[in-house]
Amino acid sequence: MLVKDFMIREVFVARPDFTLKEILRILIENKVGGVPVVDEQDKLLGMVTDGDILRYLTPAEEAIMGYFTYITVLPGEELDEKVTSQMNDKVSQIIKNKRITKLSPEDPLDELIKVLSKHHFKKIPVVDKNDKVVGIISRGDALRALYKEFVQKLE
């Protein structure tokens, strides 16, 4: 069984200049947990997930800085302040410095299982030979494929 046999082909994507507000709208309205970020030619640049957004919006903690005997306590940032101030931040700010993990439609099921288990990802973009996004695959898709390929045949 190959990735192309059970990947999701209807993929919602984001552009690097989309705002955090636009990404949240895409995720909520389409009931998805992540979207590939692509350039104008639909070439994969990265992935932004609900987890990335939550980590990005985590309020700043209180900090204690010491310089010899001088100590400063900075107040922590509240969630509403953080969210309000960052809604117009660009997706490119969230995905910077992230290594891209991707699969090919021709990859076998066992390769998908290895990638999902090794990296603890929930969703993996699927790209063609030109790095253009052609699908997305999730843990749930992998479990359904395993069930169909192995468990149903035992019954």
Side-chain angles (χ1 to χ4, degrees):
M1 198 169 218
L2 302 177
V3 166
K4 69 180 179 183
D5 298 328
F6 54 95
M7 69 182 189
I8 297 167
R9 295 175 191 277
E10 182 184 346
V11 182
F12 301 98
V13 298
R15 305 274 183 219
D17 61 340
F18 280 19
T19 64
L20 187 52
K21 183 177 10 179
E22 290 172 306
I23 292 299
L24 285 170
R25 185 174 292 122
I26 291 169
L27 296 180
I28 301 304
E29 289 178 358
N30 297 293
K31 298 178 183 169
V32 296
V35 292
V37 180
V38 299
D39 64 15
E40 296 303 319
Q41 290 77 41
D42 291 329
K43 185 175 176 183
L44 182 66
L45 299 173
M47 187 84 178
V48 65
T49 66
D50 48 10
D52 296 328
I53 292 170
L54 291 174
R55 283 184 291 279
Y56 187 74
L57 293 175
T58 301
E61 298 287 327
E62 290 186 8
I64 298 177
M65 298 183 294
Y67 184 71
F68 297 108
T69 57
Y70 181 76
I71 296 177
T72 304
V73 177
L74 301 174
E77 190 174 25
E78 297 294 326
L79 178 62
D80 58 342
E81 295 169 347
K82 183 86 169 180
V83 171
T84 302
S85 69
Q86 294 188 302
M87 275 302 111
N88 291 316
D89 287 1
K90 302 295 184 198
V91 170
S92 56
Q93 293 174 259
I94 299 172
I95 67 166
K96 64 182 175 185
N97 300 326
K98 289 185 77 175
R99 209 175 86 228
I100 302 174
T101 300
K102 56 195 172 190
L103 290 168
S104 160
E106 301 301 321
D107 285 334
L109 176 60
D110 61 334
E111 180 63 21
L112 168 64
I113 301 299
K114 287 178 197 172
V115 170
L116 288 171
S117 62
K118 179 180 177 186
H119 298 288
H120 305 282
F121 293 135
K122 293 181 182 177
K123 297 186 180 333
I124 307 285
V126 181
V127 298
D128 65 13
K129 62 182 188 258
N130 298 316
D131 232 15
K132 182 178 176 187
V133 176
V134 294
I136 195 162
I137 198 148
S138 71
R139 289 180 186 175
D141 300 324
L143 289 175
R144 282 186 286 282
L146 283 170
Y147 180 78
K148 183 179 177 184
E149 184 69 12
F150 301 107
V151 178
Q152 279 185 332
K153 290 180 180 178
L154 296 174
E155 296 176 341

